Amino acid sequence: MKAEILTVGSELLSPGRIDRNAELLIEKLGSIGLPVVFRATVGDDRELLVETAKQAFGRSDLVIVTGGLGPTSDDVTRESFAEAMGLELVLDESVLAAIRRRFSKRGYTMPDVNRRQAMVPLGAEVLTNPVGTAPGLWIKGPRHTEVILLPGPPAEMVSIFEKHVQPRLSSPGEVFRTQRLLVAGLPESAVEEKIGALYRDVDNPHTGLLASGGQVEIRLTARGGDTIQAEAKLERLVSPIRRALGQHLFSESGETLEQVVGRLLTAAGKTLSIAESCTGGLITHRLTEVAGSSRYLERGFVTYSNESKVALLGVPGELIESEGAVSESVVRAMVRGARERAGTDLALAVTGIAGPSGGRAEKPVGLVFIATGDARGEDVSRFQFPGGRARVKQWTAQTALNLLRLRLLLE
Ligand code: ATP
Ligand code: MG
């Protein structure tokens, strides 16, 4: 069965908008073994929508559409799909009553415009919405295509999908289990090189790699007659992958790098301080995203200027003068200064050139030094990260947290 996703909304075509619905649906459909073969976003334009709907029939067996089911005049999904299928829209009294009830529960009378949300293509099945007004609609389309219309707000879309759609799409007698493995410190190509031969010719579990923000996610989905079978299938591939990746594998349960670091610090009963230059506090921010981080995180120094490195961390001014702020000796002095001044067991320090300006031939943009330190001394690594300012900062933070994790594993 081939599935396609159409997300509707002109706002989704403006810069900076993330199509969460498509992402969520790809994940949810993947977890029940339904591959998505086509995905598109259409603006709030009735003619375009009718045309897109007609193309979808026959191209895919299952078409999931999100957005544009609201009460306002720019919401035209319902009308467009009814037109494309040649179906009349009829008022569904029970949907209308449910919408009225929702309003009156909050002490409002239903505005007249909301009647539109009770209009249902003739023969469509209504999928009740546990968290909003607009219900979903399941329609048998032309050429054996199943068409499912869902509201735009992601929380509503997901709750209708999980309640009404997912259980019916999963084949009877088949169970799916998904596992995400997270890898740090290796580029995608290196992960592929280490584990490609293990999964390439295996179709159950199905395996996919996804690289982003300095980590690689390996997603495995196994199917079986029951949970035990599916889990056994999964484990049969996960265990050789685990062996091949060794310490590069940092999470098997969805834990983030900062959570893993936090857990290791807690287990070791150690405290941490951080001195950040080019990341401007990003590492400290990530660590403090974890609840309970006050147990191990003592402080973060954002020492962006040379003066602050001298004043707050005690880095010798002459050292910055002679070696430059982005250098092995300065990052070493930063990590030592942070640890001593904060009085922590461990410290982490980063300094680098995030760009776009400030690079030179011997110190190009993306050059970063990262140091970890404890009572036994400091370790410094030098990196050359690719990409623009945001990417260099992200990679620096990710790599620094990973180096800290590796150091804690040696404790
Ligand atoms: P409403 O009744 O809220 O108007 P609707 O079904 O008409 O619902 P839209 O108007 O298309 O849906 O979208 C409503 C809101 O839902 C949008 O403002 C946006 O915040 C969110 N939304 C819609 N589609 C998406 C999407 N694909 N990804 C993420 N958010 C979305
Ligand atoms: Mg709307």
Side-chain angles (χ1 to χ4, degrees):
M1 180 137 128
K2 287 191 291 187
E4 87 172 61
I5 297 171
L6 301 173
T7 53
V8 182
S10 299
E11 65 182 46
L12 292 170
L13 297 167
S14 55
R17 293 310 298 248
I18 294 170
D19 189 346
R20 287 264 299 138
N21 286 347
E23 304 277 317
L24 288 162
L25 284 169
I26 288 171
E27 172 171 356
K28 300 215 161 286
L29 290 165
S31 75
I32 51 172
L34 288 179
V36 174
V37 296
F38 190 94
R39 157 184 174 180
T41 299
V42 191
D44 302 303
D45 179 309
R46 183 153 173 176
E47 237 171 90
L48 259 180
L49 268 170
V50 172
E51 188 185 307
T52 310
K54 286 182 177 164
Q55 288 163 353
F57 306 143
R59 176 171 59 198
S60 313
D61 310 297
L62 173 69
V63 183
I64 301 190
V65 188
T66 77
L69 291 183
T72 56
S73 58
D74 62 341
D75 292 317
V76 289
T77 301
R78 179 187 294 102
E79 290 75 10
S80 308
F81 274 77
E83 181 182 332
M85 288 184 253
L87 295 175
E88 193 190 335
L89 283 169
V90 291
L91 184 77
D92 185 310
E93 291 293 346
S94 62
V95 173
L96 187 64
I99 298 174
R100 281 221 169 90
R101 265 200 308 279
R102 221 185 136 73
F103 275 97
S104 68
K105 250 197 344 224
R106 293 177 184 175
Y108 296 110
T109 327
M110 185 193 85
D112 239 12
V113 286
N114 285 84
R115 277 177 76 86
R116 278 188 66 205
Q117 292 182 292
M119 299 300 288
V120 170
L122 200 63
E125 182 184 345
V126 172
L127 313 172
T128 53
N129 185 338
V131 292
T133 25
L137 297 166
W138 191 320
I139 317 166
K140 297 239 171 274
R143 286 182 258 163
H144 308 291
T145 310
E146 304 285 341
V147 180
I148 299 170
L149 310 184
L150 300 173
E156 297 184 32
M157 188 284 289
V158 165
S159 58
I160 300 179
F161 184 88
E162 286 179 344
K163 183 165 176 217
H164 299 287
V165 182
Q166 192 158 330
R168 279 162 60 181
L169 290 179
S170 317
S171 340
E174 242 184 359
V175 173
F176 292 85
R177 276 288 170 276
T178 296
Q179 190 162 0
R180 293 166 64 212
L181 306 177
L182 298 176
V183 181
L186 284 180
E188 190 179 12
S189 53
V191 175
E192 171 69 28
E193 208 168 86
K194 282 185 186 288
I195 67 165
L198 297 171
Y199 75 79
R200 211 169 289 132
D201 298 321
V202 179
D203 75 355
N204 185 21
H206 170 80
T207 306
L209 256 54
L210 179 81
S212 75
Q215 70 182 32
V216 179
E217 176 179 331
I218 306 162
R219 183 181 291 261
L220 304 103
T221 302
R223 51 167 206 282
D226 55 35
T227 314
I228 294 171
Q229 251 183 33
E231 276 171 4
K233 275 265 178 239
L234 206 53
E235 189 52 30
R236 209 176 303 163
L237 187 54
V238 168
S239 58
I241 288 181
R242 201 182 276 133
R243 271 197 303 279
L245 293 171
Q247 290 196 332
H248 294 294
L249 181 64
F250 71 85
S251 166
E252 296 193 19
S253 57
E255 258 187 324
T256 61
L257 204 42
E258 46 273 37
Q259 285 172 325
V260 174
V261 165
R263 182 166 49 71
L264 293 172
L265 281 165
T266 307
K270 302 255 156 135
T271 55
L272 173 71
S273 55
I274 299 165
E276 301 188 57
S277 187
C278 62
T279 41
L282 180 60
I283 301 172
T284 310
H285 163 70
R286 283 184 57 178
L287 282 164
T288 54
E289 288 281 276
V290 182
S293 48
S294 60
R295 268 192 305 239
Y296 42 84
L297 182 66
E298 207 283 333
R299 76 184 75 168
F301 301 88
V302 181
T303 51
Y304 208 53
S305 66
N306 292 348
E307 293 72 30
S308 65
K309 291 180 182 72
V310 175
L312 296 178
L313 300 172
V315 177
E318 316 80 68
L319 197 62
I320 299 179
E321 196 69 21
S322 61
E323 305 285 320
V326 180
S327 60
E328 178 176 341
S329 26
V330 167
V331 84
R332 195 181 288 279
M334 284 171 71
V335 83
R336 202 176 293 161
R339 204 175 76 79
E340 284 170 9
R341 299 210 170 182
T344 51
D345 302 309
L346 283 143
L348 175 69
V350 302
T351 180
I353 304 166
S357 58
R360 280 175 286 122
E362 67 286 12
K363 288 191 179 177
V365 168
L367 175 68
V368 174
F369 290 90
I370 302 176
T372 54
D374 62 17
R376 288 169 303 183
E378 297 86 33
D379 282 323
V380 177
S381 314
R382 176 197 169 111
F383 297 90
Q384 182 62 56
F385 295 125
R389 190 173 176 83
R391 195 141 169 246
V392 170
K393 288 175 77 172
Q394 196 180 26
W395 276 76
T396 303
Q398 184 75 1
T399 308
L401 287 170
N402 192 43
L403 289 173
L404 191 58
R405 176 184 71 95
L406 293 171
R407 187 169 188 125
L408 283 162
L409 287 178
L410 297 175
E411 291 287 318

PDB file of all heavy atoms in Angstrom, residues 278 326 351-360 363-369 382-389 391-393 395-396:
ATOM      1  N   CYS A 278      32.781  30.564  21.386  1.00  0.00           N
ATOM      2  CA  CYS A 278      32.019  30.663  20.130  1.00  0.00           C
ATOM      3  C   CYS A 278      30.596  30.143  20.226  1.00  0.00           C
ATOM      4  O   CYS A 278      29.751  30.484  19.395  1.00  0.00           O
ATOM      5  CB  CYS A 278      32.763  29.944  19.000  1.00  0.00           C
ATOM      6  SG  CYS A 278      32.970  28.190  19.294  1.00  0.00           S
ATOM      7  N   VAL A 326      41.692  31.670  19.674  1.00  0.00           N
ATOM      8  CA  VAL A 326      41.326  30.339  19.191  1.00  0.00           C
ATOM      9  C   VAL A 326      42.610  29.536  19.040  1.00  0.00           C
ATOM     10  O   VAL A 326      43.281  29.564  18.004  1.00  0.00           O
ATOM     11  CB  VAL A 326      40.560  30.424  17.851  1.00  0.00           C
ATOM     12  CG1 VAL A 326      40.184  29.027  17.356  1.00  0.00           C
ATOM     13  CG2 VAL A 326      39.296  31.275  18.017  1.00  0.00           C
ATOM     14  N   THR A 351      36.475  27.092  22.230  1.00  0.00           N
ATOM     15  CA  THR A 351      36.774  28.360  21.576  1.00  0.00           C
ATOM     16  C   THR A 351      36.942  28.076  20.084  1.00  0.00           C
ATOM     17  O   THR A 351      37.493  27.037  19.705  1.00  0.00           O
ATOM     18  CB  THR A 351      38.032  29.042  22.177  1.00  0.00           C
ATOM     19  OG1 THR A 351      38.251  30.278  21.486  1.00  0.00           O
ATOM     20  CG2 THR A 351      39.282  28.183  22.051  1.00  0.00           C
ATOM     21  N   GLY A 352      36.401  28.961  19.248  1.00  0.00           N
ATOM     22  CA  GLY A 352      36.485  28.676  17.817  1.00  0.00           C
ATOM     23  C   GLY A 352      36.057  29.858  16.985  1.00  0.00           C
ATOM     24  O   GLY A 352      35.660  30.900  17.511  1.00  0.00           O
ATOM     25  N   ILE A 353      36.134  29.681  15.679  1.00  0.00           N
ATOM     26  CA  ILE A 353      35.760  30.748  14.748  1.00  0.00           C
ATOM     27  C   ILE A 353      34.480  30.323  14.037  1.00  0.00           C
ATOM     28  O   ILE A 353      34.494  29.455  13.167  1.00  0.00           O
ATOM     29  CB  ILE A 353      36.896  31.013  13.733  1.00  0.00           C
ATOM     30  CG1 ILE A 353      38.184  31.344  14.495  1.00  0.00           C
ATOM     31  CG2 ILE A 353      36.521  32.153  12.792  1.00  0.00           C
ATOM     32  CD1 ILE A 353      39.429  31.302  13.647  1.00  0.00           C
ATOM     33  N   ALA A 354      33.345  30.930  14.466  1.00  0.00           N
ATOM     34  CA  ALA A 354      32.044  30.515  13.927  1.00  0.00           C
ATOM     35  C   ALA A 354      31.770  31.149  12.570  1.00  0.00           C
ATOM     36  O   ALA A 354      30.928  30.678  11.815  1.00  0.00           O
ATOM     37  CB  ALA A 354      30.935  30.864  14.921  1.00  0.00           C
ATOM     38  N   GLY A 355      32.466  32.242  12.263  1.00  0.00           N
ATOM     39  CA  GLY A 355      32.291  32.895  10.969  1.00  0.00           C
ATOM     40  C   GLY A 355      31.067  33.795  10.937  1.00  0.00           C
ATOM     41  O   GLY A 355      30.455  34.006  11.975  1.00  0.00           O
ATOM     42  N   PRO A 356      30.665  34.348   9.800  1.00  0.00           N
ATOM     43  CA  PRO A 356      31.297  34.115   8.496  1.00  0.00           C
ATOM     44  C   PRO A 356      32.629  34.857   8.332  1.00  0.00           C
ATOM     45  O   PRO A 356      33.424  34.458   7.497  1.00  0.00           O
ATOM     46  CB  PRO A 356      30.259  34.641   7.496  1.00  0.00           C
ATOM     47  CG  PRO A 356      29.430  35.612   8.264  1.00  0.00           C
ATOM     48  CD  PRO A 356      29.476  35.200   9.701  1.00  0.00           C
ATOM     49  N   SER A 357      32.870  35.904   9.154  1.00  0.00           N
ATOM     50  CA  SER A 357      34.159  36.590   9.008  1.00  0.00           C
ATOM     51  C   SER A 357      35.094  36.135  10.127  1.00  0.00           C
ATOM     52  O   SER A 357      34.707  35.375  11.005  1.00  0.00           O
ATOM     53  CB  SER A 357      33.948  38.097   9.079  1.00  0.00           C
ATOM     54  OG  SER A 357      33.337  38.409  10.309  1.00  0.00           O
ATOM     55  N   GLY A 358      36.309  36.626  10.102  1.00  0.00           N
ATOM     56  CA  GLY A 358      37.246  36.332  11.184  1.00  0.00           C
ATOM     57  C   GLY A 358      38.180  35.172  10.874  1.00  0.00           C
ATOM     58  O   GLY A 358      39.084  34.880  11.632  1.00  0.00           O
ATOM     59  N   GLY A 359      37.961  34.510   9.728  1.00  0.00           N
ATOM     60  CA  GLY A 359      38.833  33.392   9.387  1.00  0.00           C
ATOM     61  C   GLY A 359      40.076  33.873   8.648  1.00  0.00           C
ATOM     62  O   GLY A 359      40.073  34.925   8.019  1.00  0.00           O
ATOM     63  N   ARG A 360      41.145  33.122   8.800  1.00  0.00           N
ATOM     64  CA  ARG A 360      42.374  33.410   8.047  1.00  0.00           C
ATOM     65  C   ARG A 360      42.914  32.075   7.548  1.00  0.00           C
ATOM     66  O   ARG A 360      42.420  31.030   7.946  1.00  0.00           O
ATOM     67  CB  ARG A 360      43.409  34.087   8.954  1.00  0.00           C
ATOM     68  CG  ARG A 360      43.162  35.597   9.143  1.00  0.00           C
ATOM     69  CD  ARG A 360      44.127  36.202  10.148  1.00  0.00           C
ATOM     70  NE  ARG A 360      43.801  35.818  11.516  1.00  0.00           N
ATOM     71  CZ  ARG A 360      44.617  35.179  12.351  1.00  0.00           C
ATOM     72  NH1 ARG A 360      45.827  34.845  11.965  1.00  0.00           N
ATOM     73  NH2 ARG A 360      44.234  34.870  13.569  1.00  0.00           N
ATOM     74  N   LYS A 363      43.969  29.985  10.315  1.00  0.00           N
ATOM     75  CA  LYS A 363      42.849  29.722  11.231  1.00  0.00           C
ATOM     76  C   LYS A 363      41.542  30.014  10.508  1.00  0.00           C
ATOM     77  O   LYS A 363      40.953  31.079  10.665  1.00  0.00           O
ATOM     78  CB  LYS A 363      42.983  30.591  12.490  1.00  0.00           C
ATOM     79  CG  LYS A 363      44.111  30.139  13.395  1.00  0.00           C
ATOM     80  CD  LYS A 363      44.068  30.810  14.742  1.00  0.00           C
ATOM     81  CE  LYS A 363      45.217  30.276  15.611  1.00  0.00           C
ATOM     82  NZ  LYS A 363      45.267  30.933  16.911  1.00  0.00           N
ATOM     83  N   PRO A 364      41.066  29.046   9.729  1.00  0.00           N
ATOM     84  CA  PRO A 364      39.865  29.291   8.910  1.00  0.00           C
ATOM     85  C   PRO A 364      38.570  29.212   9.735  1.00  0.00           C
ATOM     86  O   PRO A 364      38.588  28.696  10.853  1.00  0.00           O
ATOM     87  CB  PRO A 364      39.914  28.158   7.887  1.00  0.00           C
ATOM     88  CG  PRO A 364      40.703  27.086   8.532  1.00  0.00           C
ATOM     89  CD  PRO A 364      41.643  27.719   9.513  1.00  0.00           C
ATOM     90  N   VAL A 365      37.483  29.729   9.152  1.00  0.00           N
ATOM     91  CA  VAL A 365      36.162  29.603   9.774  1.00  0.00           C
ATOM     92  C   VAL A 365      35.879  28.122  10.004  1.00  0.00           C
ATOM     93  O   VAL A 365      36.151  27.289   9.146  1.00  0.00           O
ATOM     94  CB  VAL A 365      35.078  30.219   8.863  1.00  0.00           C
ATOM     95  CG1 VAL A 365      33.679  29.844   9.343  1.00  0.00           C
ATOM     96  CG2 VAL A 365      35.229  31.732   8.801  1.00  0.00           C
ATOM     97  N   GLY A 366      35.337  27.808  11.186  1.00  0.00           N
ATOM     98  CA  GLY A 366      35.032  26.411  11.499  1.00  0.00           C
ATOM     99  C   GLY A 366      36.099  25.742  12.343  1.00  0.00           C
ATOM    100  O   GLY A 366      35.910  24.633  12.828  1.00  0.00           O
ATOM    101  N   LEU A 367      37.233  26.475  12.548  1.00  0.00           N
ATOM    102  CA  LEU A 367      38.280  25.906  13.416  1.00  0.00           C
ATOM    103  C   LEU A 367      37.825  26.031  14.868  1.00  0.00           C
ATOM    104  O   LEU A 367      37.465  27.114  15.322  1.00  0.00           O
ATOM    105  CB  LEU A 367      39.596  26.672  13.221  1.00  0.00           C
ATOM    106  CG  LEU A 367      40.728  26.254  14.170  1.00  0.00           C
ATOM    107  CD1 LEU A 367      41.217  24.834  13.867  1.00  0.00           C
ATOM    108  CD2 LEU A 367      41.897  27.228  14.111  1.00  0.00           C
ATOM    109  N   VAL A 368      37.816  24.907  15.579  1.00  0.00           N
ATOM    110  CA  VAL A 368      37.320  24.905  16.957  1.00  0.00           C
ATOM    111  C   VAL A 368      38.239  24.046  17.828  1.00  0.00           C
ATOM    112  O   VAL A 368      38.677  22.976  17.408  1.00  0.00           O
ATOM    113  CB  VAL A 368      35.870  24.338  17.012  1.00  0.00           C
ATOM    114  CG1 VAL A 368      35.402  24.189  18.458  1.00  0.00           C
ATOM    115  CG2 VAL A 368      34.901  25.229  16.227  1.00  0.00           C
ATOM    116  N   PHE A 369      38.525  24.567  19.021  1.00  0.00           N
ATOM    117  CA  PHE A 369      39.256  23.767  20.018  1.00  0.00           C
ATOM    118  C   PHE A 369      38.308  23.453  21.172  1.00  0.00           C
ATOM    119  O   PHE A 369      37.583  24.334  21.638  1.00  0.00           O
ATOM    120  CB  PHE A 369      40.466  24.531  20.545  1.00  0.00           C
ATOM    121  CG  PHE A 369      41.561  24.688  19.529  1.00  0.00           C
ATOM    122  CD1 PHE A 369      41.598  25.788  18.682  1.00  0.00           C
ATOM    123  CD2 PHE A 369      42.556  23.719  19.406  1.00  0.00           C
ATOM    124  CE1 PHE A 369      42.595  25.928  17.732  1.00  0.00           C
ATOM    125  CE2 PHE A 369      43.567  23.850  18.451  1.00  0.00           C
ATOM    126  CZ  PHE A 369      43.589  24.956  17.612  1.00  0.00           C
ATOM    127  N   ARG A 382      41.260  19.337  18.409  1.00  0.00           N
ATOM    128  CA  ARG A 382      41.118  20.389  17.402  1.00  0.00           C
ATOM    129  C   ARG A 382      40.176  19.878  16.312  1.00  0.00           C
ATOM    130  O   ARG A 382      40.279  18.735  15.888  1.00  0.00           O
ATOM    131  CB  ARG A 382      42.510  20.657  16.817  1.00  0.00           C
ATOM    132  CG  ARG A 382      42.556  21.645  15.699  1.00  0.00           C
ATOM    133  CD  ARG A 382      43.891  21.502  14.951  1.00  0.00           C
ATOM    134  NE  ARG A 382      43.799  22.280  13.721  1.00  0.00           N
ATOM    135  CZ  ARG A 382      44.485  23.397  13.489  1.00  0.00           C
ATOM    136  NH1 ARG A 382      45.359  23.830  14.372  1.00  0.00           N
ATOM    137  NH2 ARG A 382      44.319  24.057  12.373  1.00  0.00           N
ATOM    138  N   PHE A 383      39.230  20.717  15.898  1.00  0.00           N
ATOM    139  CA  PHE A 383      38.269  20.320  14.855  1.00  0.00           C
ATOM    140  C   PHE A 383      38.191  21.373  13.769  1.00  0.00           C
ATOM    141  O   PHE A 383      38.430  22.549  14.017  1.00  0.00           O
ATOM    142  CB  PHE A 383      36.860  20.137  15.447  1.00  0.00           C
ATOM    143  CG  PHE A 383      36.784  19.041  16.467  1.00  0.00           C
ATOM    144  CD1 PHE A 383      37.005  19.330  17.816  1.00  0.00           C
ATOM    145  CD2 PHE A 383      36.524  17.735  16.098  1.00  0.00           C
ATOM    146  CE1 PHE A 383      36.972  18.320  18.764  1.00  0.00           C
ATOM    147  CE2 PHE A 383      36.476  16.728  17.040  1.00  0.00           C
ATOM    148  CZ  PHE A 383      36.702  17.019  18.385  1.00  0.00           C
ATOM    149  N   GLN A 384      37.835  20.913  12.592  1.00  0.00           N
ATOM    150  CA  GLN A 384      37.545  21.832  11.491  1.00  0.00           C
ATOM    151  C   GLN A 384      36.136  21.491  11.014  1.00  0.00           C
ATOM    152  O   GLN A 384      35.942  20.516  10.300  1.00  0.00           O
ATOM    153  CB  GLN A 384      38.600  21.648  10.391  1.00  0.00           C
ATOM    154  CG  GLN A 384      38.432  22.573   9.210  1.00  0.00           C
ATOM    155  CD  GLN A 384      38.567  24.037   9.622  1.00  0.00           C
ATOM    156  OE1 GLN A 384      39.572  24.439  10.208  1.00  0.00           O
ATOM    157  NE2 GLN A 384      37.529  24.837   9.352  1.00  0.00           N
ATOM    158  N   PHE A 385      35.143  22.275  11.473  1.00  0.00           N
ATOM    159  CA  PHE A 385      33.750  21.969  11.113  1.00  0.00           C
ATOM    160  C   PHE A 385      33.344  22.694   9.837  1.00  0.00           C
ATOM    161  O   PHE A 385      33.742  23.828   9.607  1.00  0.00           O
ATOM    162  CB  PHE A 385      32.803  22.362  12.246  1.00  0.00           C
ATOM    163  CG  PHE A 385      33.007  21.577  13.507  1.00  0.00           C
ATOM    164  CD1 PHE A 385      33.237  22.217  14.717  1.00  0.00           C
ATOM    165  CD2 PHE A 385      32.984  20.187  13.488  1.00  0.00           C
ATOM    166  CE1 PHE A 385      33.427  21.490  15.880  1.00  0.00           C
ATOM    167  CE2 PHE A 385      33.172  19.453  14.647  1.00  0.00           C
ATOM    168  CZ  PHE A 385      33.401  20.106  15.849  1.00  0.00           C
ATOM    169  N   PRO A 386      32.507  22.048   9.042  1.00  0.00           N
ATOM    170  CA  PRO A 386      32.036  22.698   7.813  1.00  0.00           C
ATOM    171  C   PRO A 386      30.791  23.545   8.098  1.00  0.00           C
ATOM    172  O   PRO A 386      30.212  23.468   9.178  1.00  0.00           O
ATOM    173  CB  PRO A 386      31.644  21.505   6.944  1.00  0.00           C
ATOM    174  CG  PRO A 386      31.202  20.454   7.914  1.00  0.00           C
ATOM    175  CD  PRO A 386      31.979  20.689   9.183  1.00  0.00           C
ATOM    176  N   GLY A 387      30.394  24.338   7.109  1.00  0.00           N
ATOM    177  CA  GLY A 387      29.113  25.023   7.191  1.00  0.00           C
ATOM    178  C   GLY A 387      29.186  26.417   7.754  1.00  0.00           C
ATOM    179  O   GLY A 387      30.256  26.903   8.120  1.00  0.00           O
ATOM    180  N   GLY A 388      28.047  27.078   7.849  1.00  0.00           N
ATOM    181  CA  GLY A 388      27.955  28.455   8.314  1.00  0.00           C
ATOM    182  C   GLY A 388      27.934  28.564   9.827  1.00  0.00           C
ATOM    183  O   GLY A 388      28.141  27.580  10.532  1.00  0.00           O
ATOM    184  N   ARG A 389      27.701  29.765  10.284  1.00  0.00           N
ATOM    185  CA  ARG A 389      27.782  30.099  11.701  1.00  0.00           C
ATOM    186  C   ARG A 389      26.918  29.190  12.587  1.00  0.00           C
ATOM    187  O   ARG A 389      27.389  28.617  13.568  1.00  0.00           O
ATOM    188  CB  ARG A 389      27.329  31.552  11.845  1.00  0.00           C
ATOM    189  CG  ARG A 389      27.568  32.149  13.192  1.00  0.00           C
ATOM    190  CD  ARG A 389      27.243  33.643  13.162  1.00  0.00           C
ATOM    191  NE  ARG A 389      27.381  34.209  14.481  1.00  0.00           N
ATOM    192  CZ  ARG A 389      28.533  34.606  14.989  1.00  0.00           C
ATOM    193  NH1 ARG A 389      29.639  34.527  14.275  1.00  0.00           N
ATOM    194  NH2 ARG A 389      28.603  35.087  16.209  1.00  0.00           N
ATOM    195  N   ARG A 391      25.653  26.295  11.982  1.00  0.00           N
ATOM    196  CA  ARG A 391      26.067  24.899  11.938  1.00  0.00           C
ATOM    197  C   ARG A 391      27.346  24.673  12.755  1.00  0.00           C
ATOM    198  O   ARG A 391      27.463  23.673  13.478  1.00  0.00           O
ATOM    199  CB  ARG A 391      26.264  24.516  10.473  1.00  0.00           C
ATOM    200  CG  ARG A 391      26.342  23.075  10.251  1.00  0.00           C
ATOM    201  CD  ARG A 391      25.643  22.601   8.991  1.00  0.00           C
ATOM    202  NE  ARG A 391      26.040  21.219   8.779  1.00  0.00           N
ATOM    203  CZ  ARG A 391      26.770  20.829   7.749  1.00  0.00           C
ATOM    204  NH1 ARG A 391      27.134  21.691   6.816  1.00  0.00           N
ATOM    205  NH2 ARG A 391      27.132  19.573   7.647  1.00  0.00           N
ATOM    206  N   VAL A 392      28.282  25.624  12.663  1.00  0.00           N
ATOM    207  CA  VAL A 392      29.525  25.477  13.432  1.00  0.00           C
ATOM    208  C   VAL A 392      29.207  25.469  14.929  1.00  0.00           C
ATOM    209  O   VAL A 392      29.728  24.653  15.696  1.00  0.00           O
ATOM    210  CB  VAL A 392      30.532  26.603  13.080  1.00  0.00           C
ATOM    211  CG1 VAL A 392      31.710  26.613  14.044  1.00  0.00           C
ATOM    212  CG2 VAL A 392      31.036  26.438  11.642  1.00  0.00           C
ATOM    213  N   LYS A 393      28.307  26.350  15.341  1.00  0.00           N
ATOM    214  CA  LYS A 393      27.933  26.388  16.767  1.00  0.00           C
ATOM    215  C   LYS A 393      27.283  25.076  17.195  1.00  0.00           C
ATOM    216  O   LYS A 393      27.585  24.526  18.253  1.00  0.00           O
ATOM    217  CB  LYS A 393      26.967  27.552  17.028  1.00  0.00           C
ATOM    218  CG  LYS A 393      27.653  28.918  16.956  1.00  0.00           C
ATOM    219  CD  LYS A 393      26.665  30.054  17.106  1.00  0.00           C
ATOM    220  CE  LYS A 393      26.248  30.253  18.554  1.00  0.00           C
ATOM    221  NZ  LYS A 393      25.429  31.488  18.706  1.00  0.00           N
ATOM    222  N   TRP A 395      27.505  22.066  15.783  1.00  0.00           N
ATOM    223  CA  TRP A 395      28.472  20.961  15.780  1.00  0.00           C
ATOM    224  C   TRP A 395      29.420  21.058  16.963  1.00  0.00           C
ATOM    225  O   TRP A 395      29.819  20.058  17.540  1.00  0.00           O
ATOM    226  CB  TRP A 395      29.272  20.964  14.473  1.00  0.00           C
ATOM    227  CG  TRP A 395      28.564  20.262  13.361  1.00  0.00           C
ATOM    228  CD1 TRP A 395      27.519  20.740  12.643  1.00  0.00           C
ATOM    229  CD2 TRP A 395      28.838  18.949  12.868  1.00  0.00           C
ATOM    230  NE1 TRP A 395      27.122  19.808  11.712  1.00  0.00           N
ATOM    231  CE2 TRP A 395      27.915  18.700  11.822  1.00  0.00           C
ATOM    232  CE3 TRP A 395      29.768  17.969  13.188  1.00  0.00           C
ATOM    233  CZ2 TRP A 395      27.892  17.507  11.110  1.00  0.00           C
ATOM    234  CZ3 TRP A 395      29.754  16.786  12.467  1.00  0.00           C
ATOM    235  CH2 TRP A 395      28.824  16.555  11.437  1.00  0.00           C
ATOM    236  N   THR A 396      29.816  22.276  17.309  1.00  0.00           N
ATOM    237  CA  THR A 396      30.721  22.458  18.443  1.00  0.00           C
ATOM    238  C   THR A 396      30.054  21.955  19.721  1.00  0.00           C
ATOM    239  O   THR A 396      30.642  21.192  20.495  1.00  0.00           O
ATOM    240  CB  THR A 396      31.107  23.939  18.595  1.00  0.00           C
ATOM    241  OG1 THR A 396      31.702  24.383  17.375  1.00  0.00           O
ATOM    242  CG2 THR A 396      32.088  24.137  19.734  1.00  0.00           C
TER     243      THR A 396
END
